[in-house]
């Protein structure tokens, strides 16, 4: 009998747990350790943030589902890793602290045969002075509670605009190395449409602020894509959308301090500037959780497991940008020091950024960090689960299931407005996620025909359909596994 422990119940953790439980006989234990009591379909936070969905529409409690599916669930947070056990416990374990229920505040050594670290990112608001959801007129859509608070604040502002107040809205990234530009892009377009729906669009100046060098970088170095019968850069497409909607933009901006209604930022030119606002939604930087690791003698071995995020089978050799390649990116998400530990989704440490790194004239790094959320999280979690299943069933340690972001495509539908008749979505398919400049030298590292974009009402319908499909899948209803990641 084997025991698989999964840390985290977000997209990656939940996908891994679902597939492990479906494919492994019941004598094997599947244990999920997560501080969150609910599963949330994060992509729909955007719609909570504009009041078109309620938090209850995008989440469900984990405990009843896991009990029904014979998945052991501990509402606890991981504290530290002991991959060799210790003087008292011969098995590897994670020290976890319960955060709810009768055991709240107590710790447990959660032993395992295989460990999947799917803890995702820490939302590192404190990396930017003054940036905190609900304070200084700044908000977030990173969680459903943040998104709900953002909508309440935005709705208050809309009411003020209806009374004649002119407002400034600032949306984008709140740190020089933030990622998840796509979520901010969705939110600014949805906010713009909601202001039109409430007939106050003319009362607001809307500004995009980002650490991107070009619009439409999205942390993936932008794209050269098919757009209808044309070939278009993603920067051109986003510029077209922003101009059409009257959205201005500030690029190459590393936000470093927030005061009440004022964002301080540094530009790539080395200038220090400010932008005032009445409402802001600024994505924070993401970081690892700061876990520590110890060997069986109690010695600190954190650097064998973590490089900020978890170390996996990537090439972390420090080298110039010109020498980076898709071969640097991991394929199995297995820790090289402890082969029974894996880290899919955003929990793995990327070998480098995807976008070209840039510094300001003052030496400040201002570059988007690489995204690993959404579709890549689901795909990498499934392949990790499939490898563990194969090892257990066939006693074969060779990992047959592989998938690098350098040979993996991703489809993304960015909501550009909610509504069955007036909604819109920007649909983008990218292949590969990490550009392969050797294989596709003339098309900016991506394969034409598999990298394309379009915008329109159909995109909204498809994103809404995916919202319901993926919640159905997450609830493990009949034939859920037929829905791809």
């Amino acid at each position: 009998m084997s025991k698989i422990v999964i840390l985290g119940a977000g997209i990656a953790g939940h996908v891994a747990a679902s597939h492990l439980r479906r494919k492994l006989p019941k004598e094997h234990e599947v244990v999920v350790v997560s501080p969150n009591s609910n599963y949330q379909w994060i992509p729909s936070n955007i719609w909570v943030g504009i009041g078109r969905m309620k938090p209850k529409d995008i989440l469900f409690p984990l405990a009843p589902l896991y009990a029904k599916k014979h998945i052991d669930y501990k509402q606890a947070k991981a504290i530290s890793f002991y991959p060799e056990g210790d003087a008292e416990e011969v098995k590897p374990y994670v020290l976890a602290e319960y955060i709810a229920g009768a055991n709240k505040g107590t710790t447990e050594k959660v032993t395992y045969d295989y460990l999947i670290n799917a803890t995702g990112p820490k939302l590192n608001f404190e990396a930017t002075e003054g940036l905190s959801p609900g304070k200084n007129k700044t908000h977030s859509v990173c969680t459903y509670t943040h998104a709900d608070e953002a909508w309440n604040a935005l709705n208050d502002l809309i009411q003020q605009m209806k009374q004649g107040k002119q407002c400034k809205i600032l949306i984008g990234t709140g740190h020089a190395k933030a990622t998840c530009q796509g979520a901010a892009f969705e939110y600014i377009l949805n906010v713009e449409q909601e202001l039109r729906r409430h007939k106050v669009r003319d009362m607001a100046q809307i500004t995009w602020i980002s650490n991107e060098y070009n619009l439409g970088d999205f942390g993936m170095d932008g794209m050269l894509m098919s757009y209808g019968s044309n070939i278009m850069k993603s920067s051109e497409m986003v510029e077209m959308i922003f101009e059409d909607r009257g959205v201005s933009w500030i690029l190459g901006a590393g936000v470093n301090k927030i005061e009440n209604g004022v964002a301080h930022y540094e530009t790539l030119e080395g200038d220090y500037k400010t932008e005032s606002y009445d409402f802001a939604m600024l994505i924070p930087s993401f970081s690892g959780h700061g876990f520590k690791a110890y060997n069986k003698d109690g010695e600190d071995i954190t650097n064998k497991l973590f490089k900020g995020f978890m170390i996996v089978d990537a090439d972390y050799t420090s080298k110039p940008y010109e020498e980076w390649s898709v071969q640097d990116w991991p394929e199995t998400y297995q820790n090289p020091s402890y082969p029974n530990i894996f880290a899919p989704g955003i929990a793995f440490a990327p070998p480098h950024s995807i976008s070209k790194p840039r510094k300001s004239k003052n030496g400040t790094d201002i570059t988007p960090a690489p995204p690993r959320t959404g579709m890549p999280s689901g795909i990498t979690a499934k392949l990790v689960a499939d490898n563990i299943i194969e090892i257990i069933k066939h006693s074969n340690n060779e990992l047959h299931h592989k998938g690098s972001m350098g040979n993996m495509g991703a489809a993304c539908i960015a909501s550009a407005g909610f509504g069955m008749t007036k909604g819109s979505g920007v649909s983008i398919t990218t292949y590969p996620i990490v550009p392969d400049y050797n294989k596709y030298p003339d098309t900016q590292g991506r394969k034409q025909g598999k990298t394309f974009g379009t915008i329109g009402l159909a995109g909204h319908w498809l994103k809404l359909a995916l919202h319901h499909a993926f919640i159905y899948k997450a609830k493990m209803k009949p034939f859920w596994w037929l829905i791809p990641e």
Side-chain angles (χ1 to χ4, degrees), residues 410-423:
C412 174
I413 302 172
S415 174
F418 191 94
M420 293 305 291
T421 59
K422 296 184 178 179

Side-chain angles (χ1 to χ4, degrees), residues 16-313:
S18 303
H19 285 285
L20 285 162
R21 188 65 286 165
R22 185 176 81 86
K23 295 179 180 178
L24 281 177
K26 293 295 185 293
E27 64 261 29
H28 302 291
E29 286 186 74
V30 177
V31 182
V32 172
V33 178
S34 173
N36 299 315
S37 59
N38 294 313
Y39 174 86
Q40 62 167 325
W41 178 239
I42 293 173
S44 294
N45 282 352
I46 298 300
W47 291 334
V48 175
I50 57 167
R52 303 302 291 269
M53 281 191 175
K54 299 294 183 186
K56 65 179 178 58
D57 298 322
I58 69 167
L59 61 81
F60 60 83
L62 288 167
L65 177 68
Y66 284 166
K68 182 179 177 183
K69 297 296 180 180
H70 305 288
I71 296 172
D72 190 9
Y73 168 59
K74 300 176 187 294
Q75 191 178 350
K77 63 178 181 181
I79 297 175
S80 48
F81 291 61
Y82 295 79
E84 301 171 5
D86 61 19
E88 299 173 348
E89 175 57 65
V90 296
K91 293 196 69 173
Y93 72 88
V94 172
L95 187 65
E97 179 183 341
Y98 285 90
I99 65 164
N103 295 327
K104 182 178 180 180
T106 63
T107 59
E108 178 183 341
K109 295 179 178 179
V110 184
T111 60
Y112 60 83
D113 296 297
Y114 301 94
L115 179 68
I116 298 177
N117 174 20
T119 47
K122 173 187 175 184
L123 302 175
N124 196 13
F125 289 101
E126 54 266 39
T128 303
E129 182 182 348
L131 181 65
S132 180
K135 295 183 179 178
N136 293 326
K137 300 179 183 175
T138 62
H139 299 275
S140 157
V141 292
C142 293
T143 71
Y144 60 86
T145 54
H146 290 169
D148 198 35
E149 291 167 0
W151 162 240
N152 290 332
L154 181 63
N155 189 35
D156 286 345
L157 197 63
I158 288 172
Q159 303 314 313
Q160 293 176 43
M161 283 188 268
K162 288 181 177 178
Q163 299 301 315
K165 179 178 180 178
Q166 292 282 344
C167 295
K168 296 177 73 174
I169 293 175
L170 185 67
I171 295 175
T173 53
H175 188 270
K177 298 180 73 174
T179 185
C180 223
Q181 286 76 13
F185 175 68
E186 290 187 281
Y187 195 58
I188 197 170
L189 297 183
N190 274 269
V191 167
E192 195 276 335
Q193 191 209 42
E194 285 305 302
L195 296 190
R196 280 189 280 125
R197 191 170 75 88
H198 286 275
K199 305 186 187 307
V200 293
R201 177 65 184 90
D202 60 332
M203 303 300 290
Q205 175 184 325
I206 303 178
T207 303
W208 170 258
I209 188 167
S210 173
N211 53 6
E212 301 166 300
Y213 183 71
N214 289 313
L215 286 174
D217 182 286
F218 296 137
M220 299 191 296
D221 218 19
M223 288 152 277
L224 185 67
M225 62 177 71
S226 303
Y227 186 85
S229 58
N230 301 314
I231 300 297
M232 178 182 281
K233 294 180 180 178
S234 54
S235 58
E236 296 170 329
M237 183 183 73
V238 175
E239 182 176 337
M240 176 184 70
I241 295 169
F242 279 2
E243 286 188 341
D244 181 57
R245 297 196 177 202
V247 174
S248 57
W249 57 86
I250 301 168
L251 297 176
V255 175
N256 50 43
K257 182 179 178 181
I258 297 293
E259 293 180 316
N260 190 26
V262 180
H264 297 257
Y265 65 97
E266 179 183 352
T267 69
L268 283 168
E269 290 72 30
D271 298 326
Y272 294 96
K273 297 185 175 182
T274 60
E275 184 70 17
S276 61
Y277 59 83
D278 297 285
F279 172 94
M281 197 296 291
L282 301 174
I283 299 287
S285 67
F286 291 174
S287 71
H289 290 271
F291 296 125
K292 303 290 286 186
Y294 303 92
N295 67 12
K296 61 183 176 183
D297 296 322
E299 297 166 335
D300 191 322
I301 55 166
T302 302
N303 60 1
K304 293 177 74 174
L305 264 70
F306 298 102
K307 187 181 175 67
F309 293 97
M310 180 163 266
I311 294 170
V312 292
D313 58 317

Side-chain angles (χ1 to χ4, degrees), residues 326 330-331 402-409 431-434 436 439:
V326 295
E331 292 188 312
K402 298 181 179 181
S404 159
M405 286 172 60
N407 55 33
M408 179 191 304
Y431 181 88
I433 300 169
V434 179
D436 188 337
K439 201 169 183 178

